[in-house]
Amino acid sequence: MAKEPERNSCLLRDLRQRAGNDICADCGAAEPDWVSVTLGVFVCQGCSLIHRSILSLSQVKSVLQDPFEDKEIEFITSMGNEAAKAKYEQQVPPFYYRPSHTDCRILREQWIRAKYERLEFIYIERQEPYSAGYREGFLWKRGRDNGQFLSRKFILSEREGALKYFNKQDAREPKAIMRIETLNATFQPAKIGNPFGLQITYLRDNSTRNIFVYHEDSKEMVDWFTAIRAARFHYQKVAFPGANDEDLVPRLTRNFMKEGYMEKTGPRHTEGFKKRWFTMDDRRLMYFKDPLDAYARGEVFIGSKENSYTVVPGLPPATQGYHWKYGITIETPDRKFLFACETEAEQKDWIAAFQRVVNRPMMPQEYAVEAHFKHKP
């Protein structure tokens, strides 16, 4: 007869094979090796570290290495990921961002705290900070010229359809008005140099404008992010009255498809190649002198293969000037754009990102973007 620790280990491994328990309860990562004996959920190593940091909430153990008591096995058996989801995720708003294992820590930690600590999806009134349609507060914003972060007042108004910020606390007129229609927000802790750093983009005169903000409190920052998603969701519900929530949610905010350095040359292909920071944002390929620039030096619209857009590895034989070894040519109906990557791996990654866009048919509204697109050479 198996000894009690061995028997419990076998039972636990069997439990992990059950539907729902085979992925992390919080981020969906496959084959979670940890379990919260206080919440009864299986989690991945990354989420287990977050659980462990919230001492009052969760006690985690290793599925493969730690011993388990009978009462712990009984509780985990009675709960499990599916039952916990039914309990703690009763009323998750459609606009609330559900993080994956690839998302930054701030999103995963606040999702875990919202579910189990603050019980926001059991008591709907606790969602007020981001669901009210209006939000006002102060964020640290990076200055456009000197790069310093300064405290600025922000107001998000669903009724006005805008996010505004003010350079002075008593200013009557905002420094910028960002229409909810074109707003995007994505966490960029590494690029901004702050674990709670958020990049907000919007269109002004059909060109992309970046602002970089953070708040010292991670909940405050995620509440701002979620409030932006809520405002975008309600705007989309009005703009596309027949659409399902499942169709609208992917449009609320988006992470950039790829970012990094490449070299580029000008439209005549006779100028020297210059190193630039590139951001692939849906069909907009933008390039900057510095990753934290407010404005792109130029933007390239990338359409679909049905509309004569193609991506080719390498550069034309007659290309002049010194450049990195691994070239990429993007052919559009109007001209060819030439880029060069420092490594073959980067070249392959960029080509894969471009190819995903080119292989996707254009939507009706994208034809209007293409028609009005202003490329800055």
Side-chain angles (χ1 to χ4, degrees):
M1 186 174 177
K3 295 178 182 178
E4 184 179 308
E6 292 177 8
R7 180 172 56 83
N8 285 345
S9 291
C10 290
L11 285 170
L12 197 64
R13 287 181 187 133
D14 288 341
L15 283 172
R16 195 179 62 163
Q17 301 305 315
R18 287 188 185 176
N21 292 345
D22 55 346
I23 61 170
C24 175
D26 298 322
C27 76
E31 300 180 1
D33 283 338
W34 297 81
V35 62
S36 169
V37 296
T38 44
L39 295 169
V41 293
F42 290 83
V43 295
C44 69
Q45 184 176 7
C47 289
S48 78
L49 294 173
I50 297 171
H51 278 260
R52 193 174 290 166
S53 70
I54 312 171
L55 298 176
S56 61
L57 176 70
S58 190
Q59 181 189 348
V60 293
K61 287 188 174 183
S62 168
V63 171
L64 303 176
Q65 296 176 343
D66 290 330
F68 288 81
E69 298 175 14
D70 287 348
K71 62 181 181 181
E72 292 173 338
I73 297 293
E74 288 172 14
F75 175 62
I76 296 165
T77 304
S78 69
M79 182 61 76
N81 290 7
E82 291 295 320
K85 185 175 182 178
K87 177 180 179 181
Y88 293 107
E89 299 181 28
Q90 293 176 34
Q91 300 186 79
V92 182
F95 55 76
Y96 200 99
Y97 187 81
R98 294 172 177 263
S100 74
H101 66 284
T102 59
D103 281 306
C104 58
R105 182 183 170 103
I106 183 177
L107 281 169
R108 289 183 291 127
E109 179 178 338
Q110 287 305 315
W111 166 241
I112 288 167
R113 287 185 181 273
K115 277 204 295 185
Y116 307 120
E117 186 179 48
R118 299 191 294 268
L119 305 178
E120 288 178 15
F121 312 127
I122 296 176
Y123 305 106
I124 200 166
E125 66 274 9
R126 297 182 185 179
Q127 299 171 16
E128 184 75 13
Y130 47 79
S131 65
Y134 181 89
R135 186 171 177 83
E136 184 176 323
F138 288 86
L139 298 172
W140 292 97
K141 178 191 169 293
R142 187 179 190 272
R144 181 180 155 192
D145 299 320
N146 57 16
Q148 286 184 311
F149 281 87
L150 301 168
S151 180
R152 294 288 182 254
K153 180 181 177 181
F154 281 77
I155 294 177
L156 175 68
S157 172
E158 216 173 88
R159 185 176 55 80
E160 294 180 31
L163 172 66
K164 301 179 283 190
Y165 79 87
F166 301 79
N167 263 2
K168 294 181 180 178
Q169 190 170 346
D170 57 353
R172 291 187 177 182
E173 294 300 319
K175 176 68 175 175
I177 299 175
M178 299 163 258
R179 306 304 305 172
I180 286 171
E181 180 182 358
T182 69
L183 208 56
N184 186 40
T186 176
F187 279 99
Q188 296 275 14
K191 186 160 80 171
I192 296 172
N194 184 284
F196 309 150
L198 187 73
Q199 180 173 349
I200 296 172
T201 67
Y202 63 102
L203 292 184
R204 192 165 81 180
D205 301 326
N206 203 40
S207 291
T208 303
R209 168 83 158 93
N210 297 320
I211 65 169
F212 303 93
V213 298
Y214 74 88
H215 195 282
E216 297 96 334
D217 184 287
S218 60
K219 179 184 183 299
E220 183 78 6
M221 199 66 257
V222 173
D223 282 350
W224 272 104
F225 173 71
T226 310
I228 288 171
R229 286 178 59 87
R232 289 269 303 152
F233 179 72
H234 294 124
Y235 162 78
Q236 298 264 10
K237 292 285 274 188
V238 174
F240 305 99
N244 298 322
D245 289 356
E246 295 76 26
D247 298 325
L248 299 180
V249 167
R251 300 181 183 183
L252 302 186
T253 55
R254 59 194 180 275
N255 295 326
F256 300 136
M257 294 181 69
K258 182 165 173 59
E259 288 194 288
Y261 284 106
M262 289 194 291
E263 292 181 335
K264 68 169 290 293
T265 187
R268 291 187 294 277
H269 303 167
T270 54
E271 304 97 278
F273 278 74
K274 294 178 180 177
K275 182 180 175 183
R276 294 288 182 257
W277 177 266
F278 284 82
T279 296
M280 187 75 210
D281 183 11
D282 198 35
R283 291 195 182 273
R284 288 176 180 261
L285 177 65
M286 300 170 279
Y287 53 92
F288 307 84
K289 191 170 183 180
D290 182 272
L292 296 177
D293 283 347
Y295 294 101
R297 291 295 181 97
E299 303 189 37
V300 180
F301 181 86
I302 300 181
S304 66
K305 59 187 178 184
E306 289 86 357
N307 300 89
S308 303
Y309 288 83
T310 57
V311 183
V312 183
L315 301 173
T319 305
Q320 301 173 10
Y322 172 80
H323 52 78
W324 282 339
K325 186 176 176 182
Y326 301 96
I328 301 172
T329 301
I330 296 181
E331 299 177 353
T332 78
D334 302 318
R335 58 171 277 204
K336 293 180 179 180
F337 293 91
L338 309 185
F339 309 105
C341 300
E342 191 171 14
T343 68
E344 187 177 11
E346 275 292 288
Q347 179 200 39
K348 287 180 177 177
D349 285 349
W350 276 109
I351 288 174
F354 295 146
Q355 205 65 57
R356 282 199 300 275
V357 176
V358 167
N359 289 343
R360 195 179 74 220
M362 280 170 58
M363 295 187 292
Q365 58 267 37
E366 291 175 331
Y367 285 99
V369 175
E370 182 187 37
H372 295 100
F373 205 84
K374 295 177 180 178
H375 170 65
K376 302 170 191 170

